[in-house]
Amino acid sequence: MKIPNRIQPLVDDGAVDAVLQRLKSGKEADVYTVLCGGKIQCAKVYKEAAQRSFKQAVQYQEGRKIRNSRSTRAMQKGSRFGRKQQEETWQMAEVDALFRLADAGVRVPQPYMCIDGVLLMELVTDADGAVAPRLSDVTLTEEMAVTDFDTMIRNIVRMLCAGLVHGDLSEFNVLLDANGPVIIDLPQAVDAAANNHAESMFERDVNNITAYYGQFDPQLLQTRYAKEIWALYEDGKLTPETPLTGLFVEEDHDVDMDSLVDEIIAAEDEFYDRKRAAKERDQQYD
């Protein structure tokens, strides 16, 4: 296929031998399979800010450390240099998160390098060597759902123990390889300790994953892992091996049932909106 402009410099420098195919065009990047040294890898080509539908919301950037004071000032002023630095910071957040999480034992694609907005990393495949599907594209048995849900919860715990919250976790950014789920798409990952929105993002991540697996085993919908895990984290008692029950008892207080029902309906609407959006994206790029 024709080599994308952003990948051409990597081909010229010998880092990439050939571009094989485009896997998907997402809200933040285009993803290709490429040949590197005789091995098939994945190349994630980040889109420019104006082309992305996923905005770099302030709540995701909060708590991120910029070492260079000049870059910080430029980003605050919104100058051309500042916008360029902001783009690089957004991209490197995923690279840093992938290396950090891989070292912590979280199932993520192994990153190799990131050059000029192109991230080269491991291609996640299924048992037959084909590109691994997203969770949103598979149907699980009840037994598989319970097993993989437990794996996901453990990976989410490892992420939090490593100090990170995914921030946009759902069945659309988890792949399923021969050994279970693999978490992808991390440029919006936030610092659990430094970001004031980390707790709400963490709960949303866990609740999205619970809702997905709960389709196949409704009993999973009764679990309260988000509250339990975050409480252990805040108390300094969370480790990757901490036993979990899925139970959590909150302090007694009056419950606004109307608001609770509204939240449940909104969560269901969000879930089906994500499924429709994914289907439309797949149809667009088939």
Side-chain angles (χ1 to χ4, degrees):
M1 64 171 290
K2 182 180 178 181
I3 299 174
N5 292 336
R6 298 282 293 280
I7 299 181
Q8 185 64 57
L10 277 73
V11 174
D12 295 340
D13 292 341
V16 171
D17 299 324
V19 180
L20 304 179
Q21 65 173 325
R22 184 171 71 175
L23 292 180
K24 72 168 187 175
S25 180
K27 57 189 176 184
E28 65 189 34
D30 292 327
V31 181
Y32 300 85
T33 53
V34 296
L35 192 63
C36 302
K39 181 180 179 181
I40 298 178
Q41 295 181 5
C42 183
K44 184 172 185 176
V45 181
Y46 293 98
K47 293 181 177 179
E48 300 292 341
Q51 298 176 302
R52 289 198 302 264
S53 59
F54 187 97
K55 304 302 180 184
Q56 297 182 35
V58 174
Q59 60 262 36
Y60 289 98
Q61 300 173 17
E62 181 182 297
R64 290 187 177 177
K65 297 179 181 178
I66 309 299
R67 298 177 182 177
N68 188 300
S69 58
R70 175 176 175 244
S71 297
T72 302
R73 290 193 299 271
M75 290 167 64
Q76 291 172 343
K77 292 180 179 179
S79 65
R80 182 176 180 182
F81 173 74
R83 291 193 297 272
K84 182 175 183 295
Q85 292 300 301
Q86 193 169 33
E87 285 297 292
E88 292 180 359
T89 300
W90 182 255
Q91 295 162 11
M92 289 309 297
E94 176 161 36
V95 180
D96 293 342
L98 285 171
F99 277 109
R100 188 169 169 180
L101 295 178
D103 289 342
V106 180
R107 298 206 73 221
V108 294
Q110 178 64 48
Y112 300 126
M113 67 176 74
C114 185
I115 302 175
D116 294 331
V118 180
L119 170 61
L120 294 179
M121 57 186 171
E122 171 193 5
L123 177 67
V124 181
T125 59
D126 62 17
D128 299 320
V131 176
R134 293 178 299 180
L135 281 186
S136 59
D137 297 326
V138 302
T139 299
L140 304 174
T141 64
E142 182 178 310
E143 182 179 3
M144 290 171 61
V146 171
T147 299
D148 286 359
F149 177 67
D150 182 66
T151 299
M152 278 298 300
I153 291 298
R154 277 298 155 192
N155 276 284
I156 290 170
V157 168
R158 290 190 187 97
M159 287 181 66
L160 189 55
C161 288
L164 292 176
V165 172
H166 188 287
D168 191 36
L169 190 60
S170 74
E171 65 273 22
F172 300 109
N173 43 38
V174 177
L175 303 179
L176 189 63
D177 72 4
N179 297 311
V182 180
I183 298 171
I184 61 172
D185 294 340
L186 288 144
Q188 73 294 316
V190 301
D191 187 308
N195 191 300
N196 290 321
H197 305 276
E199 180 178 0
S200 61
M201 291 180 184
F202 179 80
E203 288 196 22
R204 184 178 62 196
D205 285 352
V206 176
N207 292 339
N208 283 344
I209 292 302
T210 302
Y212 169 76
Y213 286 108
Q215 299 175 93
F216 309 106
D217 183 358
Q219 293 186 41
L220 298 177
L221 299 175
Q222 306 304 315
T223 59
R224 303 289 302 281
Y225 282 111
K227 294 287 188 182
E228 180 187 16
I229 294 168
W230 192 264
L232 289 167
Y233 170 72
E234 283 195 321
D235 289 343
K237 298 177 180 178
L238 186 68
T239 72
E241 291 77 33
T242 299
L244 300 173
T245 65
L247 304 175
F248 183 79
V249 179
E250 298 185 71
E251 295 181 3
D252 292 338
H253 61 278
D254 293 333
V255 178
D256 185 343
M257 292 304 297
D258 290 337
S259 296
L260 180 59
V261 171
D262 288 343
E263 288 182 14
I264 293 173
I265 293 173
E268 290 179 342
D269 289 343
E270 182 180 354
F271 172 76
Y272 288 112
D273 285 344
R274 292 201 311 270
K275 294 199 72 171
R276 282 194 295 271
K279 184 177 181 180
E280 290 172 0
R281 287 197 302 269
D282 292 343
Q283 291 174 343
Q284 180 179 359
Y285 295 105
D286 280 346

